[in-house]
Each structure stands twice: as structure tokens, then as C-alpha cells.
């Protein structure tokens, strides 16, 4: 799809389309996979949402209202793997950890936080650690979306 203001799916300017001329050259019709729009190859929204090597999992309640809000959480694990989770805003930080553990188990990804080492769930901006596993995603400020990373805590480091 051609975005307003000449921007592609990742909000980067499309080559060959200026902001002033973007609307004149765009249509509301979908663009075929691999087609060239203003010099940039088009991609489907599903491939743009999840880059190769990433996993997207839904932990949404069955039978939920499709219009209800969700939490979209992109998490970089301490192993370098990236996963995107779609969760209910009233889910807890603990349920986020549980969903990540189920994903690890399913994909045979070992935890670097085993053997007495502790891991933390953090955000870069604002810099914050999410240690209260009972806190809801919404009250933690992780809705509608957030980018998080898991770090291995080094004993004695502050």
C-alpha cells in the first residue's frame, strides 16, 4: 500500500516520492508483492510486521471483541532472539514472562538466566525495569505497544 506522505510500511520515506507529490501518485488499491512503487519494492503487511527470524505469537483471549485494545510487545531476548507478543492489556507482567517461557520451550531456546543468574525485563525509553510480575501491562505503561529487552543481571553490578 502506498502510505500518505510518501512513507513505506516502516515509516521510512519511499524512494522517488516526495511529501508534496505523494498523494498525487498514491492510490488506495493494494500493491502487488514485489511491485515497485516510486523506486522501492513493495512488501505485504504480514512480512513487514514480522521480519525474517522473528516470531509473532498471540496470547489474546478466545472470543474477544476484535475492536478491543491489545498490547503489542516486541521483546529481544538475552539470546538475541526477537519475539512479538499480542496480549490483553489487563494481562500481567508475569503472564508475559510465562508466554516467553512457553515460546522458549517450544523452540528449544535455553535461558541464559539459569543456574542462579537473574534476568530482568527492561525498556530503553523510558529506561525502566519491570520487576512486579503482578502488575498489569496497562498499568506498567506497556500499552498499546512497547519494545522491551531481557537482560542478564550481573551480581555485584549496579
Amino acid at each position: 500500500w502506498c502510505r500518505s506522505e510518501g512513507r513505506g510500511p516502516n515509516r521510512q520515506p519511499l524512494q522517488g516520492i516526495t511529501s508534496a507529490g505523494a498523494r498525487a501518485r498514491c492510490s488506495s488499491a493494494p500493491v502487488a508483492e514485489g511491485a515497485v512503487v516510486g523506486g522501492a519494492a513493495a512488501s505485504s503487511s504480514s512480512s513487514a510486521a514480522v521480519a525474517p527470524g522473528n516470531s509473532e505469537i498471540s496470547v489474546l483471549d478466545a472470543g474477544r471483541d476484535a475492536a478491543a485494545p491489545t498490547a503489542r510487545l516486541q521483546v529481544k531476548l538475552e539470546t538475541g532472539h526477537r519475539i512479538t507478543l499480542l496480549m490483553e492489556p489487563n494481562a500481567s507482567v508475569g503472564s508475559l514472562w510465562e508466554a516467553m517461557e512457553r515460546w522458549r520451550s517450544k523452540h528449544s531456546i535455553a535461558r541464559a538466566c539459569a543456574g542462579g543468574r537473574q534476568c530482568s525485563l527492561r525498556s530503553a525509553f523510558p529506561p525502566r525495569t519491570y520487576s512486579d510480575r503482578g502488575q498489569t501491562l496497562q498499568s506498567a505503561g506497556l500499552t498499546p505497544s512497547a519494545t522491551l529487552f531481557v537482560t542478564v543481571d550481573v551480581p555485584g553490578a549496579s
Side-chain angles (χ1 to χ4, degrees), residues 96-106 109 111:
L96 170 58
W97 278 105
E98 291 166 6
M100 290 188 295
E101 288 304 314
R102 284 191 304 271
W103 183 87
R104 286 177 194 271
S105 177
K106 180 179 177 183
I109 306 295
R111 289 185 68 206

Side-chain angles (χ1 to χ4, degrees), residues 93-141:
V93 171
S95 63
L96 170 58
W97 278 105
E98 291 166 6
M100 290 188 295
E101 288 304 314
R102 284 191 304 271
W103 183 87
R104 286 177 194 271
S105 177
K106 180 179 177 183
H107 293 87
S108 302
I109 306 295
R111 289 185 68 206
C113 301
R117 290 180 286 193
Q118 298 293 314
C119 280
S120 296
L121 184 63
R122 302 177 190 266
S123 62
F125 186 79
R128 187 166 170 206
T129 301
Y130 302 92
S131 56
D132 181 357
R133 291 183 179 229
Q135 186 176 27
T136 67
L137 301 176
Q138 188 166 25
S139 66

Side-chain angles (χ1 to χ4, degrees), residues 26-106:
C26 293
S27 72
S28 60
V31 177
E33 181 75 25
V36 176
V37 176
S43 64
S44 69
S45 60
S46 61
S47 64
V50 182
N54 289 3
S55 292
E56 184 172 90
I57 53 177
S58 176
V59 201
L60 297 171
D61 296 337
R64 68 185 309 277
D65 179 9
T70 61
R72 182 180 182 88
L73 307 169
Q74 296 180 29
V75 182
K76 181 177 180 184
L77 302 176
E78 75 283 1
T79 58
H81 293 86
R82 295 176 188 267
I83 58 176
T84 301
L85 298 105
L86 296 175
M87 300 183 74
E88 300 292 342
N90 62 348
S92 67
V93 171
S95 63
L96 170 58
W97 278 105
E98 291 166 6
M100 290 188 295
E101 288 304 314
R102 284 191 304 271
W103 183 87
R104 286 177 194 271
S105 177
K106 180 179 177 183

